[in-house]
Each structure stands twice: as structure tokens, then as C-alpha cells.
Amino acid sequence: ERLLCTVRDNGPGIPSEPVRAGAFGLESVQRRLQLRYGAAARLSLSSEAHGAIALVEIPIAKSVLRMERAGTE
């Protein structure tokens, strides 16, 4: 099973010009996902006329699923 997190905003979307010097936020998120989950993680961005969508998908550990099904945390 997988956890899917979608973040959507209603701003101007993602600019088409290169990112500003020193910007590392999304690159850092992508790197952390790869270090923790390898190829099983996914980060994608899309831009719309009025907003942007960020999608993060990661595997859920089987031990977490067992705890949820048992009703424990």
C-alpha cells in the first residue's frame, strides 16, 4: 500500500523561468524522498492556469498497517 499526499494551491502556478539562485526546497524534498524510499517514492509537480499541484507518493510500512488494523498507534 502507498500514502498519497496532494497539495494544491490557487496562486499563479509554477513559473517557466529558471529557479532563483540558492533555491533548494523542492530539490531537498526530492533528495530526502530518494534517500529514504529509493525508487519507491515519487514527487511530481504540475501547473495550472490558476495554481499548482504537488504530489508525493511513498510506500507505507507493513508494520504501520498492522498497527492501524489492530487499532493501536
Side-chain angles (χ1 to χ4, degrees):
E1 296 195 35
R2 302 181 65 73
L3 172 67
L4 178 64
C5 178
T6 304
V7 178
R8 184 181 305 242
D9 75 9
N10 60 356
I14 300 171
S16 58
E17 59 269 359
V19 296
R20 73 186 193 294
F24 65 93
L26 290 173
E27 185 177 321
S28 176
V29 171
Q30 178 68 36
R31 181 74 176 132
R32 287 173 183 244
L33 287 170
Q34 293 306 310
L35 287 171
R36 177 65 175 93
Y37 301 104
R42 184 172 75 137
L43 170 65
S44 64
L45 301 172
S46 60
S47 188
E48 300 177 334
H50 298 289
I53 300 170
L55 179 111
V56 177
E57 189 174 353
I58 58 173
I60 298 175
K62 291 179 181 177
S63 59
V64 172
L65 292 174
R66 280 194 298 271
M67 286 189 299
E68 287 179 352
R69 290 181 181 138
T72 62
E73 294 187 34

